[in-house]
Amino acid sequence: MRILDILFGRTRPVKARPDAIFAMATAAVTLETRLELKPAGRAGICFKPVGSSYFEELERDLDRILELSERETSTKVDSREDQYGFRWVVLEDRDFEDLVNTIYLVSSELQAHGFGEQLLAAVFRFERKERPVFWIYNYKRGTFYPFVPLGQGRRRDNGLELRLQAVMARELPVEQQTEQWFALWDVPV
């Protein structure tokens, strides 16, 4: 961090670390055994496309890679754009490690081609008592955080989110600043 950044209170985004995603593969065991969160077999990665021919070529390559991955692992892949212009690659697979590996594959490809800053989030869906619980990896911060929407309206279960943070802080790089726990309403995962 530069001295002017310190004086003016500015922070720089953390460089995207796709390898941090692998922490979720081992954390899933704790999530299931200690917190009764069952993997829902769904995950997704979100990034902002760039209007350039180089990025369009990268997206075509990504589509081919995902197609090959789909054949090898039986991971179902769906790609869509949300209302804000972000692209979501939504994955479905009973094998949680296949989900983690495919999320890593997409994020590392974007990073390798110089588009790591376009990565927004990776989302892993779990179920707890028939309610969704999401673990979100924020690429800009290099940390995970829980997001537990309540069934009615745009409300969340902050108490459960804090309990999840406390239990998982040793296994995952969990965001400590709760004001950085952004809600991803209507996430397609």
Side-chain angles (χ1 to χ4, degrees), residues 73-127:
T73 65
S74 300
T75 302
K76 293 180 186 169
V77 178
D78 180 32
S79 183
R80 61 183 84 166
E81 190 172 301
D82 70 14
Q83 63 187 0
Y84 303 107
F86 285 89
R87 181 172 176 198
W88 282 90
V89 176
V90 180
L91 310 167
E92 194 172 333
D93 194 319
R94 288 179 183 231
D95 185 338
F96 190 77
E97 287 188 25
D98 285 347
L99 293 173
V100 171
N101 289 332
T102 306
I103 293 288
Y104 173 78
L105 177 71
V106 172
S107 60
S108 63
E109 278 296 306
L110 285 162
Q111 180 98 16
H113 288 84
F115 294 106
E117 289 188 15
Q118 299 308 114
L119 289 163
L120 178 66
V123 180
F124 297 91
R125 182 181 179 136
F126 292 83
E127 300 289 332

